[in-house]
Amino acid sequence: MKKPILAIMYDFDSTLAKSDMQNFGFIPALGMTPEQFWGETAKWSEKTGVERTLSFLYMMQKKTKELGIPMTKEWLRKMGEPIEFFPGVLTWFQRINQYGEEHGIKVEHYLVSSGNKEIVEGCKIAKEFKVIYGCEFLYDKEGLPVWPKLVINFTQKTQYFFRISKGVWDATDDVGVNEKMPERRIPYSNIVYIGDGMTDIPAMIVVKNNGGRSIAVFQDGKEDKISDLVTEGRVNWACKADYSKNSEIEKVLQLIIQGVEINSKLASHGKTFPTID
């Protein structure tokens, strides 16, 4: 019998990392504060009508060019090295993978971020993800960015739920993601989404409404940021952004893994198991 797979989709900024990924290395390299960079980006977006994600990608190119900084892919990856994570994140993946193995479940981790893929690739946990989806630049022969290659805003995150379910990982494969498949690599019910707030709502709803599980994480003192997600039934759980051993979110994932295990065993006998809300 093929081992069941549980796919966990993660947002990055303020979900795994303590704030926006650009705040740790990239923005300080510009000699700016996060408030200055994001404030200027927001003003430019409002003035021009350019979508917010495209706006920060434009501002990244503009500022580095003005300062004479060659914003190569390699340089951006170095900007990921100082990223700070919430407690327990660095050992989280190993612990969840091990728990899955103990229950006969293969756990796969996927990152779906509106931040920079290049920056994520340089951080301490990049190797933990089966696939990293994020905004990317197209580079010229000198290795400098000339245009956004891939942009992911909060509504576009939803397509990756279907890509992951089907195993169509190439973000440019529009045919495969829309093809009808007799059997999916990962059932919708075996997908979890973990995010921190408003920009994750479309993905959280799509995952939850299709039988998967959505988890909202919050920082100390910021419970109100996700309170509406819980009361409005947009997520299954809300947990503190603490991924340490025996933390609340670890116990929730263990519960989900147990449910996948039981459902798999019953399915092998032609039975079904009611999902856990």
Side-chain angles (χ1 to χ4, degrees):
M1 180 180 173
K2 187 188 296 185
K3 183 181 291 187
I5 301 172
L6 175 70
I8 308 177
M9 300 170 60
Y10 303 83
D11 174 49
F12 190 84
D13 298 337
S14 299
T15 294
L16 297 172
K18 290 183 176 179
S19 67
D20 294 330
M21 64 180 70
Q22 298 88 353
N23 294 355
F24 299 94
F26 178 80
I27 294 176
L30 303 178
M32 301 177 73
T33 65
E35 292 74 21
Q36 290 171 331
F37 179 84
W38 296 116
E40 193 169 331
T41 299
K43 287 180 181 177
W44 189 81
S45 179
E46 292 168 5
K47 178 181 177 181
T48 61
V50 174
E51 190 269 339
R52 291 296 180 96
T53 307
L54 285 167
S55 293
F56 90 74
L57 294 171
Y58 167 81
M59 198 60 64
M60 289 177 72
Q61 286 187 267
K62 179 177 182 291
K63 291 297 182 182
T64 51
K65 188 174 182 180
E66 288 174 351
L67 292 169
I69 298 173
M71 194 173 70
T72 63
K73 186 179 293 187
E74 292 72 23
W75 185 81
L76 281 174
R77 284 174 177 162
K78 289 181 180 178
M79 297 301 102
E81 294 175 2
I83 292 176
E84 298 176 10
F85 297 95
F86 287 117
V89 167
L90 298 183
T91 59
W92 162 263
F93 303 93
Q94 181 182 355
R95 283 183 279 113
I96 294 301
N97 292 347
Q98 180 60 38
Y99 193 84
E101 284 294 324
E102 291 170 1
H103 290 266
I105 308 299
K106 180 181 181 183
V107 181
E108 295 179 349
H109 307 273
Y110 296 83
L111 186 69
V112 184
S113 172
S114 293
N116 299 94
K117 179 180 179 181
E118 298 94 336
I119 292 179
V120 172
E121 288 174 336
C123 79
K124 297 180 182 70
I125 61 173
K127 65 181 185 301
E128 307 291 353
F129 301 105
K130 186 174 182 66
V131 184
I132 295 173
Y133 295 110
C135 298
E136 298 179 66
F137 288 109
L138 176 68
Y139 298 87
D140 62 21
K141 60 183 180 181
E142 277 77 40
L144 298 175
V146 295
W147 194 259
K149 177 181 176 181
L150 180 67
V151 176
I152 302 176
N153 65 24
F154 59 97
T155 54
Q156 290 166 335
K157 286 185 175 184
T158 58
Q159 68 166 292
Y160 297 98
F161 170 72
F162 302 102
R163 291 191 179 280
I164 290 166
S165 175
K166 291 183 174 182
V168 181
W169 299 312
D170 183 350
T172 65
D173 185 354
D174 296 330
V175 175
V177 74
N178 289 305
E179 265 184 339
K180 185 175 178 61
M181 290 186 173
E183 184 179 353
R184 293 175 179 271
R185 181 173 181 269
I186 305 174
Y188 291 159
S189 57
N190 288 15
I191 298 180
V192 177
Y193 186 91
I194 302 177
D196 72 292
M198 298 302 291
T199 60
D200 299 298
I201 288 176
M204 287 174 168
I205 292 174
V206 166
V207 174
K208 182 176 182 291
N209 288 355
N210 280 280
R213 298 290 172 266
S214 292
I215 303 172
V217 296
F218 59 87
Q219 300 180 46
D220 278 334
K222 296 184 178 181
E223 293 87 346
D224 59 330
K225 183 180 176 183
I226 52 88
S227 59
D228 288 346
L229 299 179
V230 179
T231 57
E232 295 171 2
R234 298 187 179 198
V235 296
N236 299 94
W237 288 281
C239 301
K240 183 179 177 182
D242 181 352
Y243 298 80
S244 303
K245 186 175 178 61
N246 296 322
S247 62
E248 182 180 18
I249 194 169
E250 181 177 72
K251 292 175 182 177
V252 167
L253 258 296
Q254 290 174 347
L255 177 64
I256 292 172
I257 289 170
Q258 291 171 27
V260 172
E261 177 190 21
I262 294 169
N263 201 33
S264 175
K265 289 179 178 178
L266 289 175
S268 68
H269 292 89
K271 301 178 181 179
T272 58
F273 179 69
T275 55
I276 302 170
D277 290 329

